Amino acid sequence: MTTHTPAIADISAHVIDCARPAPLAEFYRSVLGGRITHSDDDSAYLDAGQAQLSFMRVEGHQAPAWPGGTKQAHLDLKVADLETATKELLDLGATKPDFQPGAGEWIVLADPEGHVFCIAA
């Protein structure tokens, strides 16, 4: 059992490197709700209530590979119904990779720039 340790810092945002910050912020605003608090050619910020997502333009950005490869982190999102949420997310521009671990307990999707995220009920 671990003991509670006082925090040195709080997470202020999860930053996602990308090629086109504004459209990616709009995709996640459609998924998570909230409001875009800043947007220009180099960055965009989404205040989604419980979390702040920041999107930063990286010249020559390449999408993470799935499975394996360069993926280093991903978002896990809770949804009410996997089938309905999957359809809605695909309609918004997400894609569904062929490789799907988890025996149907969760679905792996990728945002319009190829960042992997998972949904689970």
Side-chain angles (χ1 to χ4, degrees), residues 10 55 61-63 72:
D10 292 322
F55 305 90
H61 180 266
Q62 294 182 23
Q72 296 179 7

Side-chain angles (χ1 to χ4, degrees), residues 13-93:
H14 179 85
V15 180
I16 299 174
D17 294 341
C18 60
R20 298 173 41 222
L24 196 56
E26 185 58 37
F27 170 81
Y28 280 102
R29 188 203 56 76
S30 296
V31 173
L32 301 171
R35 64 186 182 93
I36 295 173
T37 59
H38 170 82
S39 181
D40 63 27
D41 289 342
D42 293 319
S43 63
Y45 301 91
L46 171 64
D47 180 352
Q50 74 279 14
Q52 166 106 3
L53 295 180
S54 300
F55 305 90
M56 303 305 244
R57 187 176 72 78
V58 172
E59 192 67 38
H61 180 266
Q62 294 182 23
W66 173 256
T70 60
K71 182 184 81 63
Q72 296 179 7
H74 68 272
L75 299 175
D76 282 346
L77 306 177
K78 184 176 180 179
V79 298
D81 178 84
L82 275 176
E83 185 176 326
T84 300
T86 299
K87 181 186 179 324
E88 290 174 352
L89 290 162
L90 293 173
D91 288 346
L92 287 172

